[in-house]
Structure formats: structure tokens, C-alpha cells
Amino acid sequence: MRKLTPRLLAALVPFALASQAGAAPVFDVTELDPGVAACSDFNAYANGKWIAANPIPSDKTRWGAFDALREQSLAAQHKLVEAAEQKADEAKAGSIEQKIGWIYRSGMDDAAIEKAGYAPIKPDLAAIAKLRSSADVVTWLGNAFAEGNGVGFRFGPGADYKNASRQIAFAGQGGLGLPTPDYYTKDEHKAVRDAYVAHVAKLFELTGTKPAEAKKKADGVLAFETRLAKASLSRVELRDPKNQFHFVDLAEANKTTPHFDWGAFFKRLGIAPDDGFSLSQPRFFGEFDRMLADVPVAQWRDYLAAHTIDDAAPYLSKPFQEASFEFHDKALNGQPEQRARWKRVLDAVNDGMGMALGELYVKEYFPPAAKARALDLVNNVNGAMKARLEKLDWMSDATRKKALEKWSTFLPKIGYPDKWREWDGLKIVPGDYYANLRAASAFNYRYQLDKIGKPTDRYEWGMTPQTVNAYYSAATNTINFPAAILQPPFFYADGDDAINYGGIGAVIGHESGHGFDDKGSQFDGAGNNENWWTKEDRDRFDERTARLVAQFDAYVPLADHPDQHVNGKLTLGENIGDLGGLAFAYDALQKASAGKPDPKIDGLTREQRFFLNWARVWRGNIRDKAQLVLLNTDPHAPAKFRAIGAPSNMPAFAEAFGCKAGDAMVRGGDRQVKIW
């Protein structure tokens, strides 16, 4: 079963703004640090006092705006699942309330889980132990994927890069237990590799292998994955669409993998390849196939068993749960203590039936008025984006025409889907946690596979309403804002425009901006990977974005690790989104405020409140180990640099706070990045 890990969420915590005409306070100006100049370090000025007063809880790797709002969402969801659990036995048979209630109850049944031990995966381990040839391995892989438990690579649906109106199959690199390929080869990650080997050995010991033999098996797993890693592309390389799409028919695919029959694989999964599919990283699959031929079957058995145990460990008895925590959370990310049981079970509920839980969440927590007001903000910010595109002095009329055509096809989706998923066919029982999660995994994977060969649905959501985040989809050219992010302090239905535009307005602009970032700009309004730029305009765009790469490359997040910089290329798309999003939102605020008085609130002007709300989005602290992992894996820059990165390139920020040339928050001359 695939590891049920919580999504990386982007959010912030409610804070207070002094009352205006008797309104409820929504911003606490006492959190501002008068000892730090806004023009020197805007993050420290806006967030330093709060960060110092709010240490990271022992069950977390970071704590800040993101995490606090996520905790609020979890608390709301907790009430919903507990209510569902209490009424599950009497609920309508097969209803989402009953299924959610039974999953949650089974996850909280410690006695039953302890009694089961690792019995739930013994049949899987027994089947792996019987593998005697590479052909057996191939058959096992097909069966595992068909049950939603794929190992070794990724496989699922996606929009055809050349005809985004249809869904095709994509096969992609995967199969690694460490965060990125670099972790297998670079000296700086040796301690992590050693911890990984110890972890895998522990898993084998927990399932009955003697320590010496377990260590030998774990060493073999690391060697196996190292070969896969050396054939894998880096996170930066994967940002290039050319490395994400390689369309082949079955005959071509089988030439790359003569020991792995893709026709048989498709047949086992019950899907038709039509005219072909994307074998997205051919070099990886070439090595994968060579390993089928030359790696001893015993080593394949150990690799498959290790991942089977590791993926299941959080949902088995306590020794397995603790082993999973000790490596994945503590050794890798520096988290001192395990999260509360109910939170971990709630993560599993979200992974298995998240959209169904979202249906309950929306009924309870998302009023229709919020959706209408949010759509107004979307329209205003996107209107400001259009105005900027129309006036860009570096873009030719030919490219501008195509850009505006793409802009005109943006589809904003607010709060929740117009049509909810059906859950008929998912069998959930009252007292078997692992069986329930496995059933949900298989059901959801089947749901995904059934998209292959069908039209792309622009209106389908890729996030649940209770997720505190937002996203852009290049394949559908949609911008998506789940209900959970449409609340204070991002968004106040009747709140101060400056706060709203600095919060959700900048998020809206950020997501729309992804349509024109280094990756999104390579897709047209229909979602096709097409070049709609003139060469000269692309060169000018690349020149500007290279300055943004250099800006973020220079940032060093950890004083104790001065050699560890932000990766400007890995984070480029998000940084383009921030820079454009904040600029679009600022313009929209100016238009919405035209002709209106600007009374200061607690001494803060409208523009100052706008930028302060942006900074508060990114307040927080993070453990060193977790930050080091994210520097290698996360396309988002560290939060404190997002607070200052975009504003330091905006003359409007300098004007709002009276900054002068030479101040740290004023990037001038060739250092200033201006894209939109």
C-alpha cells in the first residue's frame, strides 16, 4: 500500500488587526518589532517577535502560520469524523458518513491493531518470498499495481501533453526510499543513508529476520535503490516538460524494457493503451529493465519486501509505527515526538476518503457568501494581471496575443467541486484498519485508472476542500482555491481590502502567475505543451527569470550550514508566482481603492497593511533537519525568503515604508527583478 503521507500544506494562522469602526480585531500591531527596520529585514520586522514567542511544538518539524491554520482545519475535521464514528452503526448503509466513521473507528482501535501485529501484510510478504525469477517479479509488480500498491515506479493518468483534452497513461521514475537521487551519492547525505539502512534492517527484524541477515538485506536494498537513483532525473530536471512526456506505443516501450511487457501490464490493470502512453523517463526505465535481467531475484525480493513493510508500518502495531517515526520523522526531519494518534488516523481518512470528508466539511464550515466574495477577488486580481500583460514593454505583440488568449481561458474554481464523487463500491468494515485503508487505496487507484482513455475533466478537483492550500493546473489551465484557505487571515468576507488583497489576493495572483512561469509558460490555454513565444521574447523572459534564480541562489537559510543555499532553479516557478502574484494583487487593490479615503489603522497605511499581511503569511520557524530536506526537495523557497523576496523587487514596497537605495529591502539596477 502506498505510504499515506500528509500533503505539504500552505496556509497561515489567524492574527488580529485593530478594530475599524467597531469591527472585530484582525491584526495585532504589537507583534511588529520596532527594533528592526522594515527596510532592512521585513520578515524580522513583521514576524520576528511572533516567531520568538512561538517555539516549534515537539510533535512538529516546523511551526508558523501554515501549521497553525492547518491545526484549525484538523480540529474542524476531527469534530466531523468523531460525529460520524458515533453515528456510524446507525447511519444509512453505505453512506459516506458510515464509511468515514468506520475508518476512523478502526484507526483508533489500538487493541485490535496491536493484536494484529504485522499479520495484515503477511500474505504480501509470503507472495514476495515465492518469487523465483524476473518473470515472477514482473507478474508481482503487475498484481501490486492492480491492487493500488505499486512499487518501483509511478503509473497513473494524466493529460496528453499534445492533446490535453484526453487522458492517457503516464509511467514515471520512482522507487526510492530517500528524498532525492542525490541522497544516494553525495557525501553530505551519508548519515541519512546510514540511518536508512538501519531503518530498513529494523523493519526486517520486526518481521522475523535475525539482525545480521537483516543488515545484509538492508545493504542490498540501498545498493538496489542507488542504481535506480543514478538513472533518475533531479528535481530541477523534472521541471522541464520535455523530461515529463515521452509518448510511445507498446512496441516502442517494450524495446526500452524487453523484460517488462507493457501490454501484459496494461491488461492486468484492465486498461487499454489506445495508441500509446508516456514512458516519461526512458533512461530510468532502461535501467529498471536491466535490473530485472541482472539483479539477483533475492535482492529484488528484499527490495519489494522492504517497501511493502515500510509503506504499511504507520498502520500496523506500535513497534512498526515507532520504527516509521524514528526514521521518516525524527532522523530525516528532526521531529522529536510522534503526533497524536487521532491526527495520524485523520491523515489516513483524508488519504482514503478525503473528498467525501470534504463534502461534510463544506456543509458545516463554508458559507455560500464566502464563495461569491472570493470570486470577486479572483476577477479583480486577474483583471489586474491582464492589464499588466497588455502593457509589458518587453513582450512583442505576437506573443502578447497568445498570452492574452491563454489568460482568457483561465477557469477559477472556488471552495469545492460542483459535483461530488461517488463512493459506491468501496467496502469499509467496522473493525479492520489496514483492510479499510487497503480497500480505499485500491478503490481510489481504480478511480484514477478509469480516467485513461476518457476526456479530461477541467472541473475535477485535485485537492480536497479542507486542504489549506491552492494550486494551478497547466493541463486544464485552472486556478483552484479550496474552502479551507478562504478564511481569516487570508480572507475576510467583509474585511479590509488591504488585508484581503495582501492575503488571498496575492495567492490568487500567485496561482494565476503559474500559468506564465518557467514551466506553465510552455503550455497554451488548452493545456497543450506548445511553444507560443517568439524566440526573442523567450530570451527576454529567460534573462529576467535568471535574475530571480540568482536572487534566491544567494539566500542561506541556516546559519549553521553556510554552504547550503536555496536552489533558485528548483524554486523558480514559485518565486515567479510570488513576484507576479503580489504585483497583480497590489494593482487590484489600487483599482479597488481608487477615490476612497485611506485612514490609517493603528498608524498603518493601506499599502503597509497589504505588505504586512503578505509577510504574515510566511511567518514561522523550522527545524534544521527538515529545512535541509526541503532545500533538496521543495519547489518552494524557505518561508522567510518568500516574505522578503518579492517585496524587495517592488518599488511600491519601498514607497510604502520609506525605504531608500542601499537598504537591504531595495533591489535596484541589475539586481531588481521585474517580469510582469
Side-chain angles (χ1 to χ4, degrees):
M1 181 170 57
R2 293 174 176 176
K3 185 171 290 292
L4 308 178
T5 55
R7 295 178 176 87
L8 181 63
L9 303 175
L12 61 129
V13 65
F15 54 89
L17 170 74
S19 62
Q20 180 178 202
V26 294
F27 192 96
D28 184 359
V29 295
T30 66
E31 290 178 351
L32 303 179
D33 189 347
V36 178
C39 299
S40 296
D41 185 343
F42 191 53
N43 180 64
Y45 168 72
N47 299 324
K49 287 178 65 177
W50 186 93
I51 293 170
N54 291 272
I56 304 172
S58 59
D59 65 341
K60 301 193 180 303
T61 59
R62 64 183 186 182
W63 183 249
F66 304 123
D67 313 279
L69 192 53
R70 179 174 183 263
E71 287 297 304
Q72 281 189 212
S73 179
L74 286 176
Q77 295 170 53
H78 192 202
K79 292 180 181 179
L80 294 172
V81 296
E82 285 201 319
E85 187 277 323
Q86 292 170 8
K87 301 176 182 178
D89 294 342
E90 293 76 34
K92 181 181 177 181
S95 65
I96 60 173
E97 290 86 353
Q98 184 179 74
K99 291 175 180 178
I100 288 171
W102 279 350
I103 292 178
Y104 184 73
R105 180 189 298 173
S106 65
M108 296 300 292
D109 190 348
D110 285 334
I113 293 170
E114 289 307 302
K115 183 178 180 181
Y118 73 98
I121 62 170
K122 283 184 177 180
D124 298 311
L125 297 178
I128 292 170
K130 293 178 181 178
L131 303 179
R132 292 292 180 267
S133 67
S134 63
D136 290 346
V137 171
V138 171
T139 299
W140 187 93
L141 289 170
N143 292 336
F145 271 96
E147 296 171 3
N149 305 319
V151 178
F153 58 90
R154 295 176 296 107
F155 187 86
D160 186 339
Y161 274 33
K162 299 303 179 183
N163 180 11
S165 64
R166 70 168 187 166
Q167 293 284 296
I168 63 170
F170 280 74
Q173 68 181 50
L176 304 182
L178 294 176
T180 70
D182 282 349
Y183 275 79
Y184 291 87
T185 57
K186 288 190 174 181
D187 290 342
E188 65 191 76
H189 300 306
K190 184 180 184 303
V192 175
R193 289 196 295 274
D194 291 344
Y196 182 53
V197 169
H199 168 63
V200 174
K202 178 67 173 179
L203 296 179
F204 280 124
E205 289 181 41
L206 289 173
T207 54
T209 303
K210 293 182 178 180
E213 180 65 16
K215 175 62 166 57
K216 181 179 178 182
K217 288 175 177 288
D219 286 335
V221 170
L222 180 67
F224 184 102
E225 292 182 16
T226 299
R227 279 190 65 174
L228 288 181
K230 289 179 177 179
S232 299
L233 297 178
S234 70
R235 293 292 177 103
V236 172
E237 290 171 320
L238 289 173
R239 286 193 56 76
D240 188 339
K242 292 192 296 293
N243 291 327
Q244 290 280 11
F245 181 76
H246 181 247
F247 194 82
V248 294
D249 60 26
L250 290 180
E252 291 174 293
N254 286 340
K255 287 180 181 178
T256 302
T257 62
H259 300 91
F260 190 95
D261 185 342
W262 289 98
F265 181 75
F266 273 75
K267 184 177 180 180
R268 179 64 185 86
L269 268 58
I271 54 177
D274 293 329
D275 55 334
F277 70 106
S278 177
L279 192 68
S280 298
Q281 293 85 36
R283 185 167 71 96
F284 171 86
F285 283 100
E287 181 68 1
F288 187 86
D289 187 78
R290 284 187 288 275
M291 292 173 69
L292 284 170
D294 62 33
V295 170
V297 176
Q299 194 173 357
W300 269 100
R301 290 197 299 264
D302 292 341
Y303 168 75
L304 297 176
H307 281 269
T308 296
I309 304 167
D310 195 32
D311 288 352
Y315 319 108
L316 302 176
S317 58
K318 286 182 180 178
F320 292 88
Q321 296 172 36
E322 290 169 358
S324 181
F325 166 75
E326 286 294 326
F327 175 71
H328 293 290
D329 298 312
K330 191 173 184 178
L332 194 57
N333 288 290
Q335 181 177 320
E337 292 183 8
Q338 182 87 279
R339 295 168 69 215
R341 176 74 186 171
W342 70 264
K343 293 181 181 180
R344 289 178 279 138
V345 174
L346 185 51
D347 284 343
V349 173
N350 267 297
D351 196 271
M353 292 189 69
M355 197 57 76
L357 180 56
E359 192 172 348
L360 304 183
Y361 177 89
V362 166
K363 290 178 183 178
E364 186 71 23
Y365 296 108
F366 191 64
K371 185 169 184 173
R373 174 63 176 135
L375 186 57
D376 286 340
L377 285 167
V378 169
N379 291 335
N380 292 345
V381 172
N382 281 350
M385 180 184 194
K386 180 185 180 185
R388 288 221 172 202
L389 290 172
E390 290 173 335
K391 295 182 292 186
L392 277 182
D393 57 4
W394 59 266
M395 183 178 280
S396 69
D397 289 341
T399 302
R400 188 190 327 277
K401 180 182 178 182
K402 294 292 187 180
L404 291 172
E405 287 176 1
K406 179 168 186 176
W407 174 91
S408 70
T409 62
F410 272 139
L411 173 65
K413 297 187 297 191
I414 309 295
Y416 53 89
D418 294 328
K419 181 180 179 181
W420 296 103
R421 269 187 67 181
E422 296 292 336
W423 296 90
D424 295 341
L426 172 57
K427 183 179 179 181
I428 300 297
V429 297
D432 193 332
Y433 187 43
Y434 190 81
N436 286 336
L437 299 186
R438 185 137 183 180
S441 179
F443 181 83
N444 289 324
Y445 193 57
R446 184 76 258 162
Y447 176 81
Q448 295 297 323
L449 292 179
D450 286 346
K451 296 176 184 178
I452 295 170
K454 295 179 180 177
T456 297
D457 182 0
R458 292 188 80 199
Y459 292 88
E460 184 173 25
W461 281 69
M463 282 183 182
T464 65
Q466 64 273 26
T467 301
V468 186
N469 208 336
Y471 71 99
Y472 168 77
S473 167
T476 57
N477 201 28
T478 58
I479 49 176
N480 308 264
F481 307 98
I485 200 172
L486 298 172
Q487 60 178 315
F490 277 114
F491 172 67
Y492 299 81
D494 298 311
D496 175 28
D497 273 350
I499 296 295
N500 276 338
Y501 281 101
I504 197 64
V507 173
I508 292 165
H510 172 102
E511 300 306 337
S512 298
H514 275 313
F516 299 91
D517 68 17
D518 61 312
K519 186 176 180 180
S521 63
Q522 298 184 59
F523 293 80
D524 63 18
N528 298 314
N529 180 209
E530 298 288 348
N531 179 26
W532 47 270
W533 296 69
T534 67
K535 182 181 184 304
E536 294 76 15
D537 287 339
R538 175 59 73 175
D539 289 344
R540 285 189 281 264
F541 176 79
D542 290 344
E543 178 186 0
R544 283 160 173 76
T545 60
R547 295 180 186 178
L548 198 57
V549 170
Q551 176 183 346
F552 279 82
D553 274 345
Y555 290 141
V556 178
L558 300 171
D560 292 340
H561 299 272
D563 58 330
Q564 297 296 315
H565 291 246
V566 176
N567 187 328
K569 289 184 178 179
L570 177 61
T571 60
L572 179 57
E574 298 299 329
N575 298 332
I576 293 172
D578 283 354
L579 183 59
L582 198 60
F584 306 149
Y586 182 85
D587 289 355
L589 172 64
Q590 298 308 305
K591 184 175 182 179
S593 304
K596 297 180 181 179
D598 180 23
K600 289 185 177 181
I601 301 177
D602 284 342
L604 300 173
T605 67
R606 177 187 294 127
E607 287 72 23
Q608 288 172 334
R609 300 194 303 274
F610 170 86
F611 285 109
L612 281 168
N613 202 25
W614 167 258
R616 301 274 178 128
V617 171
W618 305 113
R619 67 180 178 188
N621 204 355
I622 185 169
R623 300 188 192 279
D624 284 7
K625 283 187 176 181
Q627 184 63 85
L628 290 171
V629 171
L630 292 179
L631 286 176
N632 288 283
T633 61
D634 193 358
H636 304 83
K640 61 184 177 182
F641 299 130
R642 299 186 74 178
I644 66 173
S648 68
N649 285 301
M650 295 176 63
F653 172 84
E655 182 179 352
F657 289 92
C659 304
K660 307 297 183 185
D663 288 339
M665 285 296 300
V666 179
R667 299 179 65 84
D670 291 341
R671 295 175 66 248
Q672 184 185 14
V673 184
K674 183 179 180 182
I675 301 174
W676 309 118

